[in-house]
Amino acid sequence: MTLYKSLMIVLIGFVCIACNGDAKKEDDEWLKKEPWEQISKKATGITVNFMMWQGSPVVNDYINNYVAPTIKREYNIDLKISGGQGPEIVQLVMGEKQANVQNGQVDIVWINGETFFQLRKIKGLWGPFVEQLPNTQFIDFDNTYINTDFQQPVDYMECPWSINQFAMVYNSAKVSSPPKNLRELEAYVKKYPGTFTISNDFTGMTMLKSFLAELAGGPKALDGPFDEEKYDILSKQLWNFINVNKAYFWKEGETFPKEQSKMNQLFANGELYIVYGFNEGGIEDKVFSGLYPKSTKGYPWENGTIRNTNYLGILDNAPQKAGAMQVINFLISPEAQFEKAKADGMDANTVLDLSKLSEAWQKKFKNAPQRKYGISMEKLKAHAMQEPAPEYMIRLYEDFRTKVIEK
């Protein structure tokens, strides 16, 4: 009898968990239909947890010293930040799903590309929710750089936050004519040995996608779904190029930096003459802070560099979905986007279509201080490439390790 009662208690517990999960999902669904006033009313006096990359001082300053206090003052929401990107986010979601966690640790995540792809595969994102946000009226969703993420339709499952383009960066005091294609890069590393390398991270793999597209014959060569046969042919050429020349890389190609911050330090201390990065190379704040010399310049890779958008998503088991929507709506407001776009701050290109803003806001954006050192996205426009399918990035990570680092 005791065993019977124990089994019944366990079964009832499982039923309750399942029922609570269903009830929670039903409760969440109204957020996709209700007027914004009702959503906003629910999103007050709560704590919203935001998981994001924390590798940039200017990004952290923007979030901690502008966004968080403004959110608290205007909406009575406490914004708590935790560090994590791509793999950490996916691992967290998978772990909570396996443990049947109905109310997760995180509400909002900063994502794009392969993370969006992986979260969609495991049903880790909640939505669509973006159309509910009032400030999306200022965004052009017909823009393919906004409605498509690594060749994937966004379908309002993530909200655009910033748009930027990858750029090459060089020290003009050290190099008068930086390489703009693979043929010139091969000549460069032999002329300036030890001053170039490939970071084993998102940024380095993004550069390798530009190299793949060049080997394929043009900036649109990787458009469309992932092509296994094409990848196999092109990647063999890529790994051969790198392995033939890596003896002329930094540390003779025996090791590769794992983080972009390491690349920044190597460029700052003069070991590297060439680096690269998103946000048009991310030059401005590094020169202002004294990390990079004033002789730093950005330039496009001849065949093209990736232009993409990064996004904000809400996790499927986020306990504060209404609060997450309120925070995201603020982050795409003209006020927050203007603050984020300041050249002496986060220096991030707005996702807003300025023609949709009031004349007053249009004037503010157009009259804002411009970059003094970094190249503008407008100047890179002719060299913009769409992000290829996420499988290219995933395979590059795997193969760079096995076919270059461990070779």
Side-chain angles (χ1 to χ4, degrees):
M1 188 67 179
T2 302
L3 177 61
Y4 174 77
K5 284 182 178 179
S6 299
L7 288 171
M8 287 301 296
I9 290 170
V10 170
L11 288 171
I12 290 168
F14 278 126
V15 170
C16 288
I17 289 170
C19 290
N20 287 339
D22 291 341
K24 184 175 185 299
K25 287 180 180 178
E26 289 175 8
D27 184 54
D28 292 339
E29 288 303 303
W30 75 271
L31 295 170
K32 300 176 185 177
K33 304 168 186 175
E34 285 296 307
W36 182 253
E37 292 76 15
Q38 295 300 316
I39 296 171
S40 188
K41 191 179 295 184
K42 184 177 176 65
T44 184
I46 59 173
T47 297
V48 171
N49 289 285
F50 183 9
M51 179 172 275
M52 54 172 278
W53 174 66
Q54 294 182 299
S56 166
V58 290
V59 172
N60 297 337
D61 179 67
Y62 172 74
I63 293 294
N64 296 324
N65 297 322
Y66 170 71
V67 172
T70 306
I71 289 288
K72 179 63 176 177
R73 183 177 64 251
E74 296 190 8
Y75 306 109
N76 192 24
I77 292 175
D78 288 307
L79 188 65
K80 300 298 182 185
I81 310 300
S82 58
Q85 55 182 322
E88 292 95 342
I89 293 171
V90 174
Q91 288 168 13
L92 171 70
V93 172
M94 289 182 67
E96 290 187 340
K97 278 187 170 291
Q98 289 169 359
N100 195 30
V101 175
Q102 299 298 320
N103 291 300
Q105 301 175 43
V106 172
D107 301 296
I108 303 171
V109 287
W110 184 13
I111 58 173
N112 76 344
E114 77 272 19
T115 306
F116 179 60
F117 171 73
Q118 290 166 333
L119 290 176
R120 292 296 299 275
K121 284 186 74 174
I122 62 174
K123 294 182 170 56
L125 289 174
W126 179 77
F129 72 92
V130 177
E131 287 180 296
Q132 288 292 92
L133 309 180
N135 285 325
T136 55
Q137 65 181 299
F138 304 123
I139 297 175
D140 178 14
F141 285 96
D142 291 328
N143 183 337
T144 55
Y145 286 104
I146 284 177
N147 64 30
T148 305
D149 186 8
F150 282 52
Q151 306 288 313
Q152 306 161 94
V154 170
D155 293 334
Y156 303 105
M157 292 292 292
E158 56 179 358
C159 182
W161 192 30
S162 301
I163 187 167
N164 51 39
Q165 187 165 339
F166 193 89
M168 306 298 293
V169 176
Y170 75 108
N171 186 339
S172 62
K174 304 279 189 179
V175 181
S176 58
S177 182
K180 297 181 180 178
N181 56 51
L182 289 173
R183 177 179 52 80
E184 291 180 3
L185 179 61
E186 185 167 30
Y188 168 87
V189 296
K190 292 175 181 177
K191 184 177 180 180
Y192 302 97
T195 65
F196 174 84
T197 192
I198 299 166
S199 56
N200 185 23
D201 63 358
F202 180 88
T203 309
M205 297 308 103
T206 298
M207 183 177 67
L208 292 186
K209 284 186 281 188
S210 289
F211 291 179
L212 271 186
E214 180 179 340
L215 290 169
K220 295 184 179 296
L222 301 182
D223 287 359
F226 177 70
D227 187 324
E228 181 79 39
E229 184 178 355
K230 180 189 289 185
Y231 174 80
D232 286 343
I233 293 170
L234 296 175
S235 63
K236 283 178 184 177
Q237 296 176 47
L238 178 63
W239 308 136
N240 180 66
F241 172 86
I242 292 172
N243 287 322
V244 164
N245 291 289
K246 71 178 183 179
Y248 300 99
F249 286 11
W250 176 73
K251 297 293 185 184
E252 299 181 340
E254 293 294 327
T255 186
F256 295 86
K258 292 182 179 180
E259 297 176 356
Q260 196 61 21
S261 58
K262 177 65 174 177
M263 294 283 288
N264 297 340
Q265 292 165 6
L266 293 172
F267 185 80
N269 67 27
E271 289 188 63
L272 297 181
Y273 296 171
I274 293 178
V275 285
Y276 34 80
F278 272 106
N279 200 25
E280 297 72 72
I283 296 170
E284 202 74 7
D285 71 282
K286 297 180 184 69
V287 175
F288 274 124
S289 69
L291 180 65
Y292 280 6
K294 292 182 179 180
S295 53
T296 302
K297 293 183 179 180
Y299 72 99
W301 194 249
E302 195 172 63
N303 184 68
T305 57
I306 302 293
R307 175 176 290 193
N308 71 17
T309 299
N310 53 73
Y311 300 82
L312 299 168
I314 300 175
L315 294 184
D316 186 57
N317 67 346
Q320 301 293 351
K321 293 185 174 69
M325 292 171 75
Q326 182 75 279
V327 171
I328 294 173
N329 188 60
F330 170 74
L331 290 172
I332 59 168
S333 67
E335 297 89 342
Q337 288 277 303
F338 179 74
E339 186 71 23
K340 186 157 66 79
K342 289 181 178 178
D344 59 351
M346 189 167 162
D347 188 31
N349 303 298
T350 182
V351 291
L352 305 183
D353 181 343
L354 298 188
S355 68
K356 294 177 180 287
L357 301 180
S358 68
E359 287 187 15
W361 273 113
Q362 288 185 46
K363 188 175 181 180
K364 285 190 75 169
F365 273 96
K366 289 175 181 176
N367 293 336
Q370 301 299 305
R371 293 170 181 165
K372 293 182 179 179
Y373 302 101
I375 189 171
S376 70
M377 193 166 69
E378 185 62 30
K379 289 184 178 178
L380 291 171
K381 187 175 181 179
H383 299 272
M385 283 174 50
Q386 284 272 6
E387 278 280 13
E391 292 92 338
Y392 285 102
M393 178 71 94
I394 294 168
R395 290 291 298 276
L396 284 170
Y397 264 120
E398 295 171 354
D399 292 349
F400 184 68
R401 175 179 58 81
T402 58
K403 300 181 186 302
V404 175
I405 295 176
E406 297 174 359
K407 187 174 176 65

